[in-house]
Amino acid sequence: LGFDFDEPVRLFIQYWGGATMSLRLIVPPTGGQAKLYRKDVVGQLACRITGAGTLRKTVLKPVCLRASADWIPMTMATSIRTGSALDFSFLQDAPAGKYGFWRKGADGHGTFENLPGSRPRFFGGNFAWDSTLLEKDETDRVAAELVRLGYNWVRAHQCDTKFLPKGATDSAAIDPAILDRWDYFVYRMKASGIYFTTDCYSSRVFLPGEPELGAYAGEQRVMKSLLPFSRAAMENWKRFTRTLVCHVNPYTGLALKDEPACILLNLVNEENYEGCGKWTDRTRPLFAKAYEAWCAARGLAVGPLDAYDRQCRAFLDEVQARVLDEQLAFLRDELKVKCPLTSLNHCSGTDLVVRRGPFDVADLHMYWSHPATVGKVRCFSTVYESALASGNAGGQWRQQFFSRIWGKPVVTTETRFCWPNVFRSEAGPLVGAYAAFLDWDGVLGYGYAEGASDFRGRCWIGNPFDTANDPVSIANDRISILLYRRGDVKPAQTRVCVTVPRDVVARKSLPLEFPKPLAELGLLHATGSTAADAPSQGMLSIPLSATADEAALPADLRAAKAKERYESDTKEIVLDAKAGTLSVSTPRSETRSLSRGGLDGRFLRVLSVQGPSTVSVHALDGKPLERCGRAVMFHVTDSANDGETFEDATMKYLVAYGKGPVLIRRAVSRIRLPDGFAVTALHADGSPAGAVAPDADGAYSLDTGAFPGGVMAYEVLRKSQGEAR
């Protein structure tokens, strides 16, 4: 290959399709631990297979995105103009908690205890690390902005890592000054009509010298795998939780345990890696010893300590069940927490339908294009993968369609179509339309803010999960809010239930994952599961034992799979995987997501696009689109940071995140609207950028680079308001 090394190397070959592959070289340094060999971009070679079968090597050149004719600098908004077409404050119903606690209703969905029959839907984002611990004037400004954005729910996440007082000797201690900022954040959210949720543990670390815990000092998330074996860890969890939920917030006059604006409390975030907490090199021996004793007590041979081994899975489930029972009893019986409780919010195994049984709510995390790490390099292996394509239809929904548990409210406190991905314009309709169609109770993006710096003048996308400074993510959230929170998309007419036996782990004939042939059924009907022999009345039942047999699948699913065209039973959503398109058509909204060609609609006709794009239009006056007087229209492409750099054109290995300004991809989509409307381009703050005149043929050319500062939104006004009335 033309490289000489003094030590053995490991060679990784990745085949991308066609006639190309890439090679990555891993060189073990002194000490034996592998690392990625990098000297600038040397270390990745592209090899093309010729007809003679020989290899021609080329050192790949980095790709750096810069402001240009193809990438337009976007002027981000620090505040949305009140009353503009981008001001969604009309959706707000303040203060949060005014109708009492959120509870499971008779139909299994969430409802407010003092508003019988209500079906609230919650939509918002995560505030991670120190983004909930702002100065009070910053919190005021952020709360006002969230109202105009249309959020009514936030999650405080990873904030436990920021509570520790200086000089503390107990890792469960909370700094009173930090707690005051936290209290004010909860208060301002509540006053603004924004509900709240958080975790009792995310990532805080133990301190040196702590009895029984000091040996694990400084290791984030080690609590997860210590809880089954260490009383000290459990008592630490309880002390922190007691302080967090029992102290009285001076701004609201209520403790979190008595706060109706807190709609959900999670025990431990994503503790079900590897079946029962992600064990580390230092905690794995604890699992091994306990597993040996467990096997001996049952006269079983000790098998591999592997969560995918059924015997080990049964052991892990049993161990974790004891932890969860103690935590739930502590919160419900000792602390008297009034809001719903949940946990095990990661993964989608069939056994989790059983294991989530003790919780009040099912919380399901789901991601598309989530980054990975190769050595010390951030790897984005799905940067060119569409969630509308063959084999991927439904994207992040595919893994969780059947993890929903019938009879319980269902939410996702983390969902994301991660940046960078050239198809992210799909995310708004994909999340909003299917959340409404499946009739889920709440959707939280991960994240909104990844730290206080998101609100302090930073003008670039900080990481793959950043929403606050990403115009594409903001536009996608707005589309989702109208389709889902406002309720533009109707719930499914038919509900399908997979029945999962309670002893699913012990029955080797049954799968531990929901079979792939069933995955697309959630594109046609509302889907879920139950840990029982039979589902509730009025549902189509499919035993888990039948799900792997394609011939036993519902006839409409088999027909849809054959055509790769999936139409919801309400006729409002059509995902055409063969064409890679998504169409949503409701009385008040129409969206079209596509990469090429055009898509017709009754109100919005997309004639052509330049690359992956979403065009959507939404009535703002409560009338159907055909009779509306005012609407907002979005034209979403892609975004990047100026200076964002990848090793090569595959954009799979990030070299530098870059900085501001944020760029949006230049593209023109030609559309046609009914006669009688005027179109005005909008800046990111909702102020007018300029009128958009129709072309000679009466169509409109929506150009993201047509106005200084970039354009992704438009106001559509009927020229004669009398006609609208």
Side-chain angles (χ1 to χ4, degrees), residues 607-631:
L607 306 177
S608 65
V609 296
Q610 293 177 331
S613 307
T614 285
V615 182
S616 71
V617 62
H618 314 265
L620 291 177
D621 55 8
K623 299 182 177 68
L625 283 167
E626 290 86 351
R627 294 191 293 109
C628 77
R630 186 178 186 231

mmCIF file of all heavy atoms in Angstrom, residues 607-631:
data_model
loop_
_atom_site.group_PDB
_atom_site.id
_atom_site.type_symbol
_atom_site.label_atom_id
_atom_site.label_comp_id
_atom_site.label_asym_id
_atom_site.label_seq_id
_atom_site.Cartn_x
_atom_site.Cartn_y
_atom_site.Cartn_z
ATOM 1 N N LEU A 607 -43.221 21.122 -8.174
ATOM 2 C CA LEU A 607 -42.919 20.804 -9.577
ATOM 3 C C LEU A 607 -41.519 20.227 -9.729
ATOM 4 O O LEU A 607 -41.297 19.343 -10.565
ATOM 5 C CB LEU A 607 -43.062 22.063 -10.434
ATOM 6 C CG LEU A 607 -44.407 22.797 -10.326
ATOM 7 C CD1 LEU A 607 -44.391 24.059 -11.175
ATOM 8 C CD2 LEU A 607 -45.547 21.877 -10.731
ATOM 9 N N SER A 608 -40.556 20.735 -8.936
ATOM 10 C CA SER A 608 -39.187 20.231 -9.024
ATOM 11 C C SER A 608 -38.421 20.681 -7.790
ATOM 12 O O SER A 608 -38.764 21.674 -7.137
ATOM 13 C CB SER A 608 -38.485 20.759 -10.289
ATOM 14 O OG SER A 608 -38.336 22.168 -10.226
ATOM 15 N N VAL A 609 -37.375 19.924 -7.456
ATOM 16 C CA VAL A 609 -36.488 20.279 -6.345
ATOM 17 C C VAL A 609 -35.049 20.079 -6.801
ATOM 18 O O VAL A 609 -34.781 19.400 -7.798
ATOM 19 C CB VAL A 609 -36.758 19.430 -5.087
ATOM 20 C CG1 VAL A 609 -38.137 19.683 -4.530
ATOM 21 C CG2 VAL A 609 -36.553 17.938 -5.376
ATOM 22 N N GLN A 610 -34.145 20.645 -6.043
ATOM 23 C CA GLN A 610 -32.717 20.450 -6.281
ATOM 24 C C GLN A 610 -32.119 19.783 -5.053
ATOM 25 O O GLN A 610 -31.727 20.427 -4.095
ATOM 26 C CB GLN A 610 -32.019 21.778 -6.555
ATOM 27 C CG GLN A 610 -32.445 22.434 -7.856
ATOM 28 C CD GLN A 610 -31.796 23.791 -8.062
ATOM 29 O OE1 GLN A 610 -31.475 24.506 -7.122
ATOM 30 N NE2 GLN A 610 -31.582 24.157 -9.319
ATOM 31 N N GLY A 611 -32.109 18.455 -5.059
ATOM 32 C CA GLY A 611 -31.582 17.710 -3.928
ATOM 33 C C GLY A 611 -32.619 17.521 -2.841
ATOM 34 O O GLY A 611 -33.747 18.026 -2.928
ATOM 35 N N PRO A 612 -32.280 16.745 -1.792
ATOM 36 C CA PRO A 612 -33.245 16.437 -0.729
ATOM 37 C C PRO A 612 -33.838 17.712 -0.127
ATOM 38 O O PRO A 612 -33.114 18.587 0.346
ATOM 39 C CB PRO A 612 -32.400 15.678 0.299
ATOM 40 C CG PRO A 612 -31.279 15.087 -0.498
ATOM 41 C CD PRO A 612 -30.968 16.094 -1.556
ATOM 42 N N SER A 613 -35.157 17.811 -0.149
ATOM 43 C CA SER A 613 -35.851 19.020 0.304
ATOM 44 C C SER A 613 -37.223 18.656 0.845
ATOM 45 O O SER A 613 -37.822 17.645 0.451
ATOM 46 C CB SER A 613 -36.037 20.020 -0.846
ATOM 47 O OG SER A 613 -34.824 20.312 -1.493
ATOM 48 N N THR A 614 -37.723 19.492 1.741
ATOM 49 C CA THR A 614 -39.116 19.430 2.178
ATOM 50 C C THR A 614 -39.751 20.789 1.932
ATOM 51 O O THR A 614 -39.184 21.824 2.297
ATOM 52 C CB THR A 614 -39.236 19.068 3.663
ATOM 53 O OG1 THR A 614 -38.962 17.676 3.842
ATOM 54 C CG2 THR A 614 -40.633 19.360 4.200
ATOM 55 N N VAL A 615 -40.920 20.775 1.298
ATOM 56 C CA VAL A 615 -41.737 21.975 1.157
ATOM 57 C C VAL A 615 -43.061 21.684 1.857
ATOM 58 O O VAL A 615 -43.677 20.638 1.618
ATOM 59 C CB VAL A 615 -41.988 22.351 -0.311
ATOM 60 C CG1 VAL A 615 -42.806 23.632 -0.401
ATOM 61 C CG2 VAL A 615 -40.667 22.505 -1.064
ATOM 62 N N SER A 616 -43.477 22.574 2.748
ATOM 63 C CA SER A 616 -44.732 22.363 3.463
ATOM 64 C C SER A 616 -45.470 23.688 3.585
ATOM 65 O O SER A 616 -44.860 24.760 3.600
ATOM 66 C CB SER A 616 -44.470 21.784 4.857
ATOM 67 O OG SER A 616 -43.878 22.744 5.713
ATOM 68 N N VAL A 617 -46.800 23.613 3.685
ATOM 69 C CA VAL A 617 -47.620 24.803 3.870
ATOM 70 C C VAL A 617 -48.690 24.476 4.899
ATOM 71 O O VAL A 617 -49.263 23.372 4.907
ATOM 72 C CB VAL A 617 -48.234 25.278 2.534
ATOM 73 C CG1 VAL A 617 -49.146 24.232 1.936
ATOM 74 C CG2 VAL A 617 -48.959 26.601 2.711
ATOM 75 N N HIS A 618 -48.955 25.435 5.807
ATOM 76 C CA HIS A 618 -49.840 25.191 6.947
ATOM 77 C C HIS A 618 -50.724 26.413 7.181
ATOM 78 O O HIS A 618 -50.216 27.533 7.349
ATOM 79 C CB HIS A 618 -49.019 24.927 8.217
ATOM 80 C CG HIS A 618 -47.894 23.966 8.022
ATOM 81 N ND1 HIS A 618 -48.013 22.612 8.292
ATOM 82 C CD2 HIS A 618 -46.619 24.161 7.578
ATOM 83 C CE1 HIS A 618 -46.854 22.023 8.024
ATOM 84 N NE2 HIS A 618 -46.002 22.938 7.595
ATOM 85 N N ALA A 619 -52.033 26.214 7.200
ATOM 86 C CA ALA A 619 -52.959 27.304 7.494
ATOM 87 C C ALA A 619 -52.769 27.763 8.932
ATOM 88 O O ALA A 619 -52.573 26.952 9.838
ATOM 89 C CB ALA A 619 -54.392 26.841 7.272
ATOM 90 N N LEU A 620 -52.854 29.068 9.148
ATOM 91 C CA LEU A 620 -52.645 29.629 10.483
ATOM 92 C C LEU A 620 -53.912 30.202 11.101
ATOM 93 O O LEU A 620 -53.877 30.670 12.246
ATOM 94 C CB LEU A 620 -51.579 30.732 10.428
ATOM 95 C CG LEU A 620 -50.146 30.281 10.146
ATOM 96 C CD1 LEU A 620 -49.221 31.488 10.043
ATOM 97 C CD2 LEU A 620 -49.653 29.320 11.222
ATOM 98 N N ASP A 621 -55.012 30.175 10.380
ATOM 99 C CA ASP A 621 -56.232 30.805 10.890
ATOM 100 C C ASP A 621 -57.330 29.804 11.225
ATOM 101 O O ASP A 621 -58.491 30.181 11.402
ATOM 102 C CB ASP A 621 -56.765 31.840 9.894
ATOM 103 C CG ASP A 621 -56.993 31.250 8.506
ATOM 104 O OD1 ASP A 621 -56.891 30.015 8.354
ATOM 105 O OD2 ASP A 621 -57.258 32.028 7.566
ATOM 106 N N GLY A 622 -56.970 28.519 11.316
ATOM 107 C CA GLY A 622 -57.950 27.510 11.699
ATOM 108 C C GLY A 622 -58.803 26.985 10.569
ATOM 109 O O GLY A 622 -59.545 26.020 10.752
ATOM 110 N N LYS A 623 -58.711 27.577 9.398
ATOM 111 C CA LYS A 623 -59.511 27.141 8.253
ATOM 112 C C LYS A 623 -58.739 26.119 7.424
ATOM 113 O O LYS A 623 -57.512 26.049 7.479
ATOM 114 C CB LYS A 623 -59.878 28.337 7.369
ATOM 115 C CG LYS A 623 -60.717 29.408 8.056
ATOM 116 C CD LYS A 623 -61.060 30.518 7.085
ATOM 117 C CE LYS A 623 -61.952 31.571 7.729
ATOM 118 N NZ LYS A 623 -61.244 32.337 8.770
ATOM 119 N N PRO A 624 -59.428 25.325 6.616
ATOM 120 C CA PRO A 624 -58.726 24.469 5.667
ATOM 121 C C PRO A 624 -57.899 25.313 4.705
ATOM 122 O O PRO A 624 -58.208 26.484 4.457
ATOM 123 C CB PRO A 624 -59.863 23.739 4.930
ATOM 124 C CG PRO A 624 -61.037 23.828 5.847
ATOM 125 C CD PRO A 624 -60.893 25.129 6.580
ATOM 126 N N LEU A 625 -56.864 24.717 4.161
ATOM 127 C CA LEU A 625 -55.961 25.458 3.283
ATOM 128 C C LEU A 625 -56.702 26.149 2.142
ATOM 129 O O LEU A 625 -56.393 27.297 1.794
ATOM 130 C CB LEU A 625 -54.900 24.513 2.723
ATOM 131 C CG LEU A 625 -53.766 24.129 3.679
ATOM 132 C CD1 LEU A 625 -52.963 22.955 3.113
ATOM 133 C CD2 LEU A 625 -52.855 25.318 3.932
ATOM 134 N N GLU A 626 -57.681 25.466 1.560
ATOM 135 C CA GLU A 626 -58.377 26.040 0.404
ATOM 136 C C GLU A 626 -59.124 27.325 0.765
ATOM 137 O O GLU A 626 -59.382 28.159 -0.102
ATOM 138 C CB GLU A 626 -59.368 25.020 -0.184
ATOM 139 C CG GLU A 626 -58.709 23.848 -0.885
ATOM 140 C CD GLU A 626 -58.343 22.722 0.061
ATOM 141 O OE1 GLU A 626 -58.440 22.930 1.298
ATOM 142 O OE2 GLU A 626 -57.964 21.651 -0.413
ATOM 143 N N ARG A 627 -59.490 27.496 2.038
ATOM 144 C CA ARG A 627 -60.268 28.669 2.441
ATOM 145 C C ARG A 627 -59.502 29.582 3.395
ATOM 146 O O ARG A 627 -60.052 30.575 3.879
ATOM 147 C CB ARG A 627 -61.579 28.220 3.101
ATOM 148 C CG ARG A 627 -62.522 27.510 2.161
ATOM 149 C CD ARG A 627 -63.908 27.324 2.774
ATOM 150 N NE ARG A 627 -63.920 26.404 3.898
ATOM 151 C CZ ARG A 627 -64.092 26.746 5.174
ATOM 152 N NH1 ARG A 627 -64.249 28.024 5.499
ATOM 153 N NH2 ARG A 627 -64.111 25.842 6.118
ATOM 154 N N CYS A 628 -58.250 29.250 3.665
ATOM 155 C CA CYS A 628 -57.513 30.027 4.659
ATOM 156 C C CYS A 628 -57.145 31.407 4.103
ATOM 157 O O CYS A 628 -57.027 31.598 2.894
ATOM 158 C CB CYS A 628 -56.254 29.285 5.109
ATOM 159 S SG CYS A 628 -54.886 29.340 3.943
ATOM 160 N N GLY A 629 -56.953 32.346 5.017
ATOM 161 C CA GLY A 629 -56.505 33.672 4.617
ATOM 162 C C GLY A 629 -55.028 33.886 4.856
ATOM 163 O O GLY A 629 -54.421 34.787 4.275
ATOM 164 N N ARG A 630 -54.441 33.040 5.733
ATOM 165 C CA ARG A 630 -53.032 33.208 6.087
ATOM 166 C C ARG A 630 -52.420 31.849 6.360
ATOM 167 O O ARG A 630 -53.008 30.999 7.038
ATOM 168 C CB ARG A 630 -52.910 34.097 7.326
ATOM 169 C CG ARG A 630 -51.484 34.471 7.725
ATOM 170 C CD ARG A 630 -51.542 35.386 8.933
ATOM 171 N NE ARG A 630 -50.223 35.902 9.282
ATOM 172 C CZ ARG A 630 -49.708 35.842 10.514
ATOM 173 N NH1 ARG A 630 -50.390 35.287 11.498
ATOM 174 N NH2 ARG A 630 -48.517 36.347 10.762
ATOM 175 N N ALA A 631 -51.221 31.638 5.840
ATOM 176 C CA ALA A 631 -50.524 30.367 6.035
ATOM 177 C C ALA A 631 -49.031 30.631 6.157
ATOM 178 O O ALA A 631 -48.532 31.704 5.786
ATOM 179 C CB ALA A 631 -50.805 29.412 4.870
#
